[in-house]
Amino acid sequence: NAGVTQTPKFRILKIGQSMTLQCTQDMNHNYMYWYRQDPGMGLKLIYYSVGAGITDKGEVPNGYNVSRSTTEDFPLRLELAAPSQTSVYFCASSVSELNTEAFFGQGTRLTVV
Amino acid sequence: QQQVKQSPQSLIVQKGGIPIINCAYENTAFDYFPWYQQFPGKGPALLIAIRPDVSEKKEGRFTISFNKSAKQFSLHIMDSQPGDSATYFCAASRYGNKLVFGAGTILRVKS
């Protein structure tokens, strides 16, 4: 039972480069989320999806894009990486957003230099 | 706008002590208050959650106390163990909306 799987675990990017953070879940959850975690700042929601083909912005969406072509996958795209995007990124999923448990992946630590 | 304020930022207790982590919220429409536990290198995991119709909830050594009038809730860890050393996040949400997280508390339990 894999749950939420994120790849890669670590990545170093140069300023201006692009990359995609992968996220897949095998729990058949409709809702998926991307958060970033910065020291002393908690978790900030970047984007979320309520089902295949539907995405919406969270609190801090600038510099990111997402897509949801299947129930299982929810990749996060960084275009033109900036040092401010250095962070730990977490993908999560839940059965619904109606006050149910969110399951998190193990995170991707991204450094932009 | 920080809707959930968490304190303290860090906490050190001796084994067997009772660490207490506090959170305060602003939005009176919030109706779900979970606590997440995160170990180094791992994603957060749900620890315990409460709804505003009760003032206290216990699960094993973990207790949430909830004060609706003060708009505050707290996590107590009874008989704390070194294995409880982790970062703890409180969160809140309104029915049908997304979680808002506190800034986190780094707990260290000394053996």
Side-chain angles (χ1 to χ4, degrees), chain A residues 16-101:
Chain A
Q17 286 185 324
S18 301
M19 77 163 293
T20 299
L21 281 65
Q22 302 292 344
C23 175
T24 187
Q25 53 93 7
D26 63 358
M27 297 174 283
N28 201 32
H29 285 171
N30 288 322
Y31 288 72
M32 296 189 73
Y33 315 84
W34 273 105
Y35 291 90
R36 60 177 288 170
Q37 183 180 16
D38 300 299
M41 300 293 290
L43 292 133
K44 301 293 186 183
L45 183 64
I46 304 171
Y47 269 95
Y48 69 100
S49 169
V50 302
I54 306 170
T55 62
D56 206 347
K57 295 178 181 179
E59 185 180 356
V60 290
N62 292 342
Y64 308 95
N65 276 300
V66 293
S67 60
R68 184 95 182 270
S69 56
T70 67
T71 299
E72 295 78 19
D73 300 309
F74 190 41
L76 177 71
R77 177 84 177 160
L78 279 71
E79 305 282 1
L80 298 174
S84 61
Q85 293 178 304
T86 294
S87 188
V88 180
Y89 291 84
F90 287 99
C91 179
S93 72
S94 63
V95 171
S96 76
E97 67 175 0
L98 301 179
N99 297 348
T100 57
E101 180 178 359

Side-chain angles (χ1 to χ4, degrees), chain B residues 72-86:
Chain B
Q72 296 176 346
F73 59 109
S74 59
L75 177 70
H76 302 233
I77 306 176
M78 306 301 175
D79 187 28
S80 60
Q81 302 296 313
D84 296 329
S85 297

